[in-house]
Amino acid sequence: MNTREQLAGVLVFDSSALQKQPNLPTEFVWPHKDLVGNQDELEEPLIDLDGFLKGDEVETAHAAELLRVACLHHGFFQVTNHGIDSSLIRAAYQEIDTIFKLPLDKKLSVRRQPGGVCGYSGAHADRYSSKLPWKETFSFEYNGNHSHPVVVDYFKHFLGEHFQPTGWVYQRYCEEMRRLSLVIFELLAVSLRVDRYYYKEFFEDGSSIMRCNNYPPCNNSGLTLGTGPHCDPTSLTILHQDEVGGLEVFANNKWQAIRPRSDAFVVNIGDTFMALSNGKYKSCLHRAVVNRERERRSLVFFVCPKEDKVVRPPQDLVCIEGPRKYPDFTWSDLLDFTQNHYRADVATFQSFIKWLPSSKTI
């Protein structure tokens, strides 16, 4: 199977073969306006969670204030002293290699199905035919309320019994991400001056999406992107990027890099939490660039509420901040919109709000 062969009408992403072509295929070329770069780094706050986790009121107030300022301006911050063992993070990266070094036909056998979020995707070519991102992803769901190891089961069922150890690594990783997300939600509530357990309780029965990203080197890295400009439709994104870097945020009217830190997780607000804060906290535009010489990898945990839970801000926040900015919706509404009707970009949520009334009349 060569890289230009179509699989059921879908371009097959084989980066090693694509690199040998004299020109970058047009499907991967992005408009100049999306490629404009900048050498600046975003001075996002580094929030130390140690004092908050220990119940130190002074340190909690300091962390909440740093969080508040970041979320009012751009919605990105990094957290340290989060309690996640570095050996688990290293193991999760090692298993990325286990997944993406599988033969191409094996990866394609577990490709993501239309409308779904789980499985393998090469350059999102299963969904789009232009402005393809130079990356491959492998995604799966995690629900913390299941008594059985749902992640392990997924790996065993789709990749085989010999992937059970990989499943256990990501099962533990997801469990730790869920724990960290609930800590962050509590701190977000403190920063918004609402009931500190409101968001934590709202997300305790939620479902999340774990994604492993692999960005191969690209000879024409200046013409393409690893991930195009977009805002996350989810509630909270907790990301660990390797030392290669590549994550950029659009803040202060320019693209700025997020410096990789092995001891920190990058966190950003998504559209759903923006609605839960009544628009006070920002869901920020971001992208990922690719490297000409080095492979880049990242681990991403997207936190979402339970699909049928109604998304609305706490009433005491509405009383403080003024009238409601967005109508009620469920996560399943927004998920359906982004998976079946719209390609995520800077205007995803605004477009969703316009689409929502029509979806109820179908």
Side-chain angles (χ1 to χ4, degrees):
M1 181 182 294
N2 61 55
T3 57
R4 303 303 294 167
E5 183 178 348
Q6 301 293 313
L7 180 70
V10 174
L11 175 71
V12 175
F13 180 66
D14 183 345
S15 61
S16 59
L18 288 167
Q19 286 283 71
K20 297 174 183 177
Q21 297 186 15
N23 298 306
L24 187 70
T26 56
E27 294 95 332
F28 294 93
V29 177
W30 284 70
H32 177 72
K33 64 181 178 63
D34 291 330
L35 297 168
V36 174
N38 193 290
Q39 299 301 312
D40 294 345
E41 286 187 350
L42 181 69
E43 295 184 3
E44 84 285 4
L46 196 62
I47 299 175
D48 188 335
L49 294 178
D50 185 60
F52 176 67
L53 291 171
K54 292 179 177 177
D56 186 309
E57 293 185 5
V58 174
E59 290 299 316
T60 294
H62 177 63
E65 179 60 18
L66 289 175
L67 189 64
R68 186 186 72 83
V69 172
C71 292
L72 287 173
H73 286 85
H74 47 64
F76 264 79
F77 53 95
Q78 297 204 50
V79 295
T80 59
N81 286 321
H82 39 67
I84 313 295
D85 196 305
S86 59
S87 64
L88 178 58
I89 300 172
R90 286 194 300 271
Y93 275 114
Q94 290 168 358
E95 298 304 331
I96 284 184
D97 295 334
T98 302
I99 296 168
F100 291 117
K101 288 183 178 178
L102 286 168
L104 182 58
D105 59 348
K106 178 63 176 177
K107 290 188 287 189
L108 292 174
S109 73
V110 292
R111 61 187 178 276
R112 186 175 58 193
Q113 297 303 307
V117 297
C118 298
Y120 172 81
S121 174
H124 292 340
D126 54 311
R127 295 190 63 190
Y128 311 117
S129 58
S130 64
K131 297 196 298 183
L132 298 183
W134 190 267
K135 70 174 178 181
E136 18 176 27
T137 68
F138 188 78
S139 308
F140 46 93
E141 292 180 300
Y142 170 77
N143 188 320
N145 286 324
H146 282 296
S147 58
H148 59 281
V150 290
V151 177
V152 177
D153 291 348
Y154 181 83
F155 274 82
K156 286 171 60 179
H157 180 74
F158 287 98
L159 291 175
E161 289 284 340
H162 59 292
F163 268 86
Q164 182 171 335
T166 302
W168 276 115
V169 168
Y170 287 122
Q171 179 79 35
R172 292 193 295 270
Y173 189 87
C174 287
E175 289 167 356
E176 287 295 277
M177 288 298 100
R178 178 179 184 270
R179 180 189 63 78
L180 177 58
S181 72
L182 295 179
V183 168
I184 295 170
F185 281 128
E186 188 175 340
L187 190 57
L188 281 165
V190 172
S191 73
L192 284 165
R193 300 179 177 88
V194 299
D195 178 354
R196 68 184 294 156
Y197 301 114
Y198 180 87
Y199 296 121
K200 182 177 180 180
E201 292 172 354
F202 186 87
F203 285 95
E204 277 184 332
D205 59 354
S207 296
S208 298
I209 303 165
M210 177 72 201
R211 176 169 294 167
C212 302
N213 290 320
N214 183 54
Y215 301 85
C218 181
N219 294 332
N220 294 286
S221 58
L223 298 177
T224 191
L225 289 170
T227 302
H230 70 288
C231 297
D232 292 335
T234 49
S235 299
L236 202 67
T237 302
I238 306 176
L239 175 143
H240 195 282
Q241 57 175 340
D242 67 11
E243 72 281 357
V244 177
L247 177 63
E248 296 184 347
V249 175
F250 194 75
N252 305 314
N253 293 314
K254 59 185 177 181
W255 288 106
Q256 299 184 73
I258 301 292
R259 178 185 296 183
R261 290 183 58 110
S262 61
D263 64 336
F265 285 94
V266 180
V267 183
N268 71 269
I269 299 299
D271 292 335
T272 302
F273 192 84
M274 181 172 67
L276 283 166
S277 72
N278 201 33
K280 188 175 180 67
Y281 282 178
K282 308 303 180 187
S283 176
C284 188
L285 187 65
H286 56 286
R287 69 181 184 183
V289 298
V290 291
N291 194 286
R292 183 180 178 86
E293 300 173 348
R294 300 180 66 188
E295 179 181 61
R296 175 183 182 253
R297 301 167 301 165
S298 65
L299 301 160
V300 193
F301 190 75
F302 299 105
V303 188
C304 318
K306 190 176 179 181
E307 288 195 0
D308 61 355
K309 187 163 285 188
V310 176
V311 175
R312 65 167 65 101
Q315 187 57 41
D316 46 355
L317 181 62
V318 175
C319 292
I320 296 171
E321 297 298 326
R324 288 278 304 275
K325 293 187 177 180
Y326 312 110
D328 286 353
F329 64 92
T330 64
W331 167 238
S332 61
D333 292 331
L334 184 52
L335 182 63
D336 172 52
F337 180 69
T338 58
Q339 295 303 308
N340 299 304
H341 304 283
Y342 193 85
R343 181 172 184 170
D345 60 14
V346 63
T348 302
F349 195 64
Q350 292 80 2
S351 300
F352 166 69
I353 295 301
K354 292 178 181 178
W355 169 86
L356 188 60
S358 64
S359 73
K360 302 305 181 184
T361 61
I362 296 175

